[in-house]
Structures are given as structure tokens and as C-alpha cells.
């Protein structure tokens, strides 16, 4: 599916609508340029899933765990990961095969690790249209 967002409210509605398709064990990957809105989309998604905490990018910690929602959400930012093998050192596979929903920003950096079905989200900004314009593509990948 492809969606157009012209503002943050549109992005929140898209994330909320998408959240209704998620269940425990699902994996969501997000990619897009720096500043495209990956973390904003993730925060909106987490709110829609019932996370009460403030959602921030785990750029330096790699993962933030939100266990206060009806289904736990594990939010990864792998921007600083230089190779996929580094993910095994932090127990990434335990998250992937756990009971929560795993959300991974900058997933292209570790794409080879996703050999199971997952949702791929690409956020594309086009400032020639508007500073806030985003095209959000959501696809189910059945590897």
C-alpha cells in the first residue's frame, strides 16, 4: 500500500491504521533518508499500540523496550551498526522470535537478517512538493 502524508496528523492516522494489522511476533522495518520521519512514525505506531511512555530513537542504545503496552514493543535503531553480526551480540534473535512487536529503523543496514515474514515501510520525503510531504509505502514481505 502507498499513502501520502502532508503533515504529522496524516502520518499519525496512517500509523494508527497500520497498527490494527499487527499482532505479537510481527516485525516492522523502516527505512528512509535522515529526517524522513521514521522515528515519528514509530512513535505514532507505539501510541496506537498502547505505549504510554515517550518514544525516542534508541540511536546510541540500539534498542528501547516498551513493555507497558498490551503487546510489548521493541524499538531498534541500527543506524550505527556496521555489520549484521553485531546484532547477535545484543540478542536480536531473541527479540525477533519473542512475543512482542519488533520495529527496526534503518533496517537496510541489516536486511540480510530478515529471513522471515515482515512488514517493510519506506518513507520518502519530497521537499519539492512541500517540507512536510511524505510518501509512505507499506508492504508485507513473505521472504
Amino acid at each position: 500500500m502507498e499513502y501520502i502524508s502532508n503533515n504529522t496528523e496524516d502520518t499519525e492516522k496512517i500509523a494508527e491504521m497500520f497498527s490494527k494489522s499487527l499482532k505479537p511476533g510481527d516485525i516492522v522495518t523502516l527505512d528512509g533518508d535522515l529526517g524522513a520521519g521514521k522515528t515519528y512514525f514509530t512513535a505514532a505506531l507505539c501510541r496506537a499500540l498502547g505505549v504510554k511512555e515517550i518514544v525516542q530513537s534508541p540511536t546510541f542504545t540500539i534498542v528501547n523496550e516498551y513493555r507497558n503496552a498490551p503487546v510489548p514493543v521493541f524499538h531498534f535503531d541500527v543506524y550505527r551498526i556496521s555489520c549484521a553480526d553485531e546484532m547477535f551480540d545484543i540478542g536480536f534473535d531473541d527479540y525477533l522470535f519473542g512475543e512482542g512487536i519488533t520495529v527496526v529503523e534503518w533496517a537496510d543496514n541489516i536486511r540480510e537478517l530478515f529471513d522471515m515474514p515482515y512488514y517493510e515501510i519506506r518513507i520518502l520525503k519530497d521537499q519539492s512538493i512541500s517540507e512536510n510531504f511524505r510518501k509512505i509505502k507499506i508492504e508485507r514481505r513473505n521472504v
Side-chain angles (χ1 to χ4, degrees):
M1 298 294 297
E2 188 172 289
Y3 304 91
I4 299 298
S5 173
N6 290 300
N7 52 51
T8 55
E9 293 82 12
D10 288 348
T11 299
E12 289 173 12
K13 288 176 188 171
I14 295 165
E16 183 177 351
M17 186 173 46
F18 173 64
S19 75
K20 294 175 181 167
S21 65
L22 296 176
K23 61 187 182 324
D26 279 344
I27 300 164
V28 178
T29 68
L30 288 108
D31 285 285
D33 291 339
L34 197 61
K38 295 176 295 297
T39 301
Y40 191 86
F41 186 93
T42 300
L45 180 64
C46 286
R47 280 191 301 276
L49 291 168
V51 172
K52 303 291 186 225
E53 300 167 63
I54 295 173
V55 175
Q56 298 177 327
S57 179
T59 302
F60 296 101
T61 59
I62 310 296
V63 63
N64 286 338
E65 298 182 2
Y66 302 105
R67 295 184 178 271
N68 65 348
V71 174
V73 179
F74 307 114
H75 176 200
F76 286 83
D77 182 326
V78 298
Y79 179 76
R80 299 189 183 291
I81 296 295
S82 58
C83 73
D85 289 340
E86 290 180 44
M87 296 302 290
F88 293 110
D89 295 338
I90 61 171
F92 185 61
D93 49 341
D94 292 333
Y95 290 98
L96 291 180
F97 300 107
E99 292 299 314
I101 294 170
T102 303
V103 180
V104 183
E105 293 186 42
W106 297 100
D108 280 345
N109 291 352
I110 59 167
R111 185 67 58 195
E112 63 268 25
L113 297 181
F114 300 104
D115 59 356
M116 70 290 290
Y118 64 95
Y119 290 96
E120 179 182 78
I121 300 176
R122 296 210 175 262
I123 303 176
L124 309 165
K125 61 182 179 177
D126 188 342
Q127 292 187 332
S128 70
I129 296 173
S130 152
E131 182 179 319
N132 296 318
F133 178 88
R134 301 292 188 269
K135 185 182 294 184
I136 301 172
K137 296 180 180 182
I138 303 175
E139 293 184 52
R140 176 79 172 161
R141 300 289 185 187
N142 294 312
V143 179

